[in-house]
Amino acid sequence: MKNKLELAVVIPWAEGHSGLCCIRALGKKNIKVIAASSDKNAMGFYSKYTKERVLYQNPSFDFNKYSETIINLCKRKDVLTIFPLTDYDIYILSKYKYYLQDYIKTLFPSFNTIIKVQDRLKLYKIAKDLNIPTLETWLLGEKDKSANKLLIVKPRYSVFNKGNKLIKSTIKYLNKMNQENDELIINEMGHIPIVQEYISGEEYGFYTLYNKGRLIVKIQQHRIRSANYKGG
């Protein structure tokens, strides 16, 4: 049935630069693009390559409504697949991967795999077992915070579901001038975060795409300035 329709690809997070890049890349290949976002002013909505626009609920406010919109998009007869671009997207899509595979090409990992990599403490232990160089990582409260070192407190989970909300916490920096109470930090983040020593220096990004262990493409970037993942 889908072969008789003009097939489309759904691009969520149309407010982000990566979403806009995907929209442009697919549009230039004459592939129909459905842009989706929780922001009615998402810049991807205004691209000349966007053929349809869909607003969904912010998963930080209502995970169930967000999930319903994403799943209904995937079930459309004209939708070939969806590109997960954020932790929110990959969480919902991998969670329902085996249900969605009857409707779209599920080009994303299983939920069990995602849970492992979105849990930074588990990911640290996996890297350590594989002899990959890592920073020492521990749960907040397991060790005394050194007043002489700058420490980074990170969310243990890149995103987690709590009370019908997908929570994505921010990073905190601790030093001798900023010794926050552990309990206050835990309450703010909604879970027990991890702690790492701050390492100064330049910032690099390295990304790869593999297909069953075979390298498809890789890219490395030197970040001169970086305000946040939306750009700036």
Side-chain angles (χ1 to χ4, degrees), residues 55-178:
L55 269 175
Y56 53 67
Q57 180 61 263
N58 190 319
S60 298
F61 301 142
D62 194 323
F63 173 63
N64 290 337
K65 286 187 177 180
Y66 159 77
S67 302
E68 182 180 352
T69 303
I70 293 295
I71 290 172
N72 285 338
L73 276 172
C74 294
K75 291 170 68 175
R76 282 178 39 168
K77 292 181 179 180
D78 62 332
V79 170
L80 177 65
T81 192
I82 181 173
F83 286 8
L85 297 177
T86 69
D87 290 320
Y88 300 126
D89 305 326
I90 194 62
Y91 183 94
I92 177 65
L93 291 170
S94 64
K95 185 175 183 178
Y96 294 102
K97 176 183 173 79
Y98 297 106
Y99 170 72
L100 293 174
Q101 66 186 7
D102 291 334
Y103 300 97
I104 62 170
K105 293 184 180 297
T106 51
L107 309 175
F108 33 84
S110 68
F111 193 57
N112 287 336
T113 299
I114 291 301
I115 289 299
K116 288 179 183 178
V117 298
Q118 287 192 337
D119 183 334
R120 293 186 173 106
L121 188 62
K122 285 185 179 179
L123 188 61
Y124 162 74
K125 291 177 179 178
I126 291 172
K128 195 171 182 180
D129 289 342
L130 294 172
N131 294 320
I132 297 174
T134 59
L135 290 171
E136 185 179 3
T137 303
W138 64 93
L139 286 172
L140 182 68
E142 285 186 342
K143 294 184 179 183
D144 291 334
K145 297 189 290 290
S146 172
N148 298 319
K149 292 182 178 180
L150 177 59
L151 302 176
I152 298 180
V153 179
K154 297 179 179 179
R156 173 175 175 173
Y157 309 99
S158 56
V159 64
F160 67 99
N161 193 355
K162 184 178 182 181
N164 193 33
K165 296 179 180 179
L166 277 187
I167 308 298
K168 191 176 179 68
S169 305
T170 57
I171 293 174
K172 300 183 74 68
Y173 297 91
L174 301 180
N175 56 30
K176 61 182 178 181
M177 300 298 294
N178 179 23

Side-chain angles (χ1 to χ4, degrees), residues 2 4-12 19-36 44 47-54 73 76-83 104:
K2 287 192 175 186
K4 299 179 182 180
L5 301 172
E6 181 186 8
L7 297 183
V9 174
V10 177
I11 303 298
L20 182 60
C21 286
C22 289
I23 290 170
R24 289 172 173 171
L26 293 171
K28 289 176 181 178
K29 296 291 184 179
N30 294 319
I31 296 172
K32 179 182 176 181
V33 174
I34 301 173
S47 171
K48 67 179 181 180
Y49 298 111
T50 296
K51 302 302 181 183
E52 187 178 337
R53 298 152 188 84
V54 175
L73 276 172
R76 282 178 39 168
K77 292 181 179 180
D78 62 332
V79 170
L80 177 65
T81 192
I82 181 173
F83 286 8
I104 62 170

